[in-house]
Amino acid sequence: MYYYAEVLRGKRALRIVAIILGILLALAIVMRLWALSEHNPEAMVSALQASPTARVTTKTLADGTIETTVNDPVKHVHAVIDRRGQLFRMDVTLPPTNPMTHYRFYSVGDSNVDRSNRGGMSHVVMTRDARVNIDFGVLFVISCIIGLVTATMLGGTLAKENDGHLELAWTKPVSRERLAIALIAVDMVTIVISQIAMLALTLIAILMFVRPHLYANALTLWVIALALIGPIAWYACLTAFSASLKRGLGMVVGLGWLAAIVTPGIAGATASLNSDIARFIHAIFQALSYIDPIAYISFHGSLGSDGLQFHTAIGSIGTSALLLLGLAIIYLALAVLQWRRVEA
């Protein structure tokens, strides 16, 4: 298998990705244990019910709500807790000196705490709706981050072949073009695998806290396409700009990231300025943004009637996805064409 060395590079990259995802999973578990074991409304309910002087009654209402009443005349505490599915509401009256008056809790979803004073007593109402609506495309947007990390590790694969063993590459029983395409294909598959792993981790982390409702709208498929193409286009960009180099790949990657981040930033910062110099700078950097893959995946969203609406630094999601696909193809073609002309 003439591309075996690239398969090994891909495996090493995936091992690094696995370590990163393992750390993220560990952090999510720690957050879950901290946030939802001692710093959530149910912990306060448990503390109220644990009082030896508390009288606790529970009944089921007609709509299925489970209503729990905690009455503690000794501590002057009265609480009514309603639970129905992912909905939680607690209405509690207690002395202002009670430490639970200022209880702080962590929750996911839609939550709120209202505090007031009535007749020398503190009145606290906690509500929580743990139902979370998540656009399926958001999961792929998140996976794009790890895809960019993998693309950066694997980018410049042709320059790696140039560095020290180009003569060996030419001895393989395959044409230069086919070898380059095979190396690139292996890396592209590796990038997609890393994104799928990140997608799975994101779902696991979300399920640790809530039961999400995943939905899609007319833009979701475009968002998914852009999130998958983005890292590949960035990989293609790094490979194209380094294909003819035998040294200095690290500089290409480092300066590439700097330019990729700064270019759309300056274009956006100067977009609303009215001076001639600002317009001139904006025109230059806006033009450069069209050859910058990172500009196409600089997502920002707004919540509309049809769900979350995405845009990029370039424009609409659909336009950005099509332009980025074309840009990735151009960069890959340039990389292969350069490499076939490299001499040992």
Side-chain angles (χ1 to χ4, degrees):
M1 189 165 59
Y2 54 86
Y3 48 85
Y4 182 67
E6 198 59 30
V7 172
L8 294 179
R9 290 191 189 115
K11 287 182 177 179
R12 286 195 295 270
L14 289 178
R15 280 197 291 269
I16 295 173
V17 168
I19 292 172
I20 295 173
L21 297 185
I23 293 172
L24 293 176
L25 179 60
L27 291 175
I29 293 173
V30 170
M31 187 65 177
R32 172 64 174 83
L33 295 174
W34 173 84
L36 297 184
S37 63
E38 298 181 2
H39 298 81
N40 69 93
E42 292 291 354
M44 183 174 178
V45 173
S46 299
L48 294 175
Q49 293 177 339
S51 173
T53 56
R55 293 195 301 269
V56 181
T57 58
T58 300
K59 62 181 179 180
T60 302
L61 305 182
D63 62 353
T65 299
I66 300 175
E67 184 180 88
T68 302
T69 302
V70 179
N71 189 33
D72 193 338
V74 176
K75 295 183 178 180
H76 306 288
V77 174
H78 180 80
V80 178
I81 303 99
D82 294 327
R83 301 180 183 89
R84 182 161 62 89
Q86 299 294 310
L87 301 176
F88 174 94
R89 184 180 187 275
M90 180 170 66
D91 188 320
V92 57
T93 302
L94 68 172
T97 55
N98 192 311
M100 292 186 183
T101 302
H102 304 288
Y103 186 82
R104 302 292 180 182
F105 74 93
Y106 172 87
S107 181
V108 292
D110 185 10
S111 60
N112 186 56
V113 179
D114 290 324
R115 294 181 173 89
S116 60
N117 293 318
R118 296 180 182 177
M121 299 290 285
S122 292
H123 182 230
V124 182
V125 178
M126 295 183 180
T127 59
R128 180 187 67 189
D129 185 354
R131 297 172 300 183
V132 178
N133 295 321
I134 300 177
D135 189 314
F136 193 65
V138 172
L139 302 180
F140 281 87
V141 171
I142 296 172
S143 76
C144 188
I145 298 172
I146 203 69
L148 289 172
V149 172
T150 309
T152 302
M153 289 189 290
L154 297 175
T157 182
L158 301 181
K160 295 171 186 175
E161 291 293 323
N162 296 342
D163 188 6
H165 52 274
L166 187 60
E167 297 86 349
L168 181 61
W170 292 160
T171 63
K172 295 179 180 180
V174 64
S175 66
R176 294 185 179 186
E177 294 84 355
R178 186 175 176 183
L179 176 58
I181 292 172
L183 298 177
I184 291 170
V186 169
D187 290 343
M188 290 169 61
V189 170
T190 304
I191 293 169
V192 173
I193 291 174
S194 72
Q195 290 190 252
I196 293 174
M198 184 64 185
L199 181 68
L201 174 66
T202 304
L203 281 173
I204 292 172
I206 292 173
L207 288 170
M208 287 171 143
F209 295 88
V210 295
R211 295 178 183 177
H213 170 252
L214 299 177
Y215 71 91
N217 57 28
L219 293 178
T220 300
L221 287 178
W222 286 115
V223 173
I224 293 173
L226 193 59
L228 292 175
I229 297 171
I232 292 175
W234 178 241
Y235 165 86
C237 178
L238 294 177
T239 303
F241 278 99
S242 62
S244 60
L245 299 179
K246 296 182 180 180
R247 296 287 190 277
L249 175 58
M251 182 175 294
V252 171
V253 174
L255 293 178
W257 265 112
L258 179 62
I261 294 173
V262 168
T263 297
I266 295 178
T270 56
S272 58
L273 300 180
N274 295 323
S275 69
D276 292 338
I277 294 177
R279 283 195 292 267
F280 177 72
I281 294 174
H282 173 72
I284 293 176
F285 281 89
Q286 185 63 38
L288 291 174
S289 294
Y290 286 101
I291 61 172
D292 177 7
I294 301 302
Y296 291 85
I297 52 177
S298 299
F299 292 97
H300 57 273
S302 59
L303 189 60
S305 58
D306 296 329
L308 196 59
Q309 306 295 310
F310 285 98
H311 303 276
T312 73
I314 297 299
S316 69
I317 286 292
T319 301
S320 297
L322 293 174
L323 290 176
L324 187 59
L325 177 60
L327 187 64
I329 293 173
I330 292 172
Y331 274 141
L332 291 175
L334 289 174
V336 174
L337 290 175
Q338 283 184 77
W339 199 55
R340 66 178 296 186
R341 299 170 63 90
V342 173
E343 297 295 337

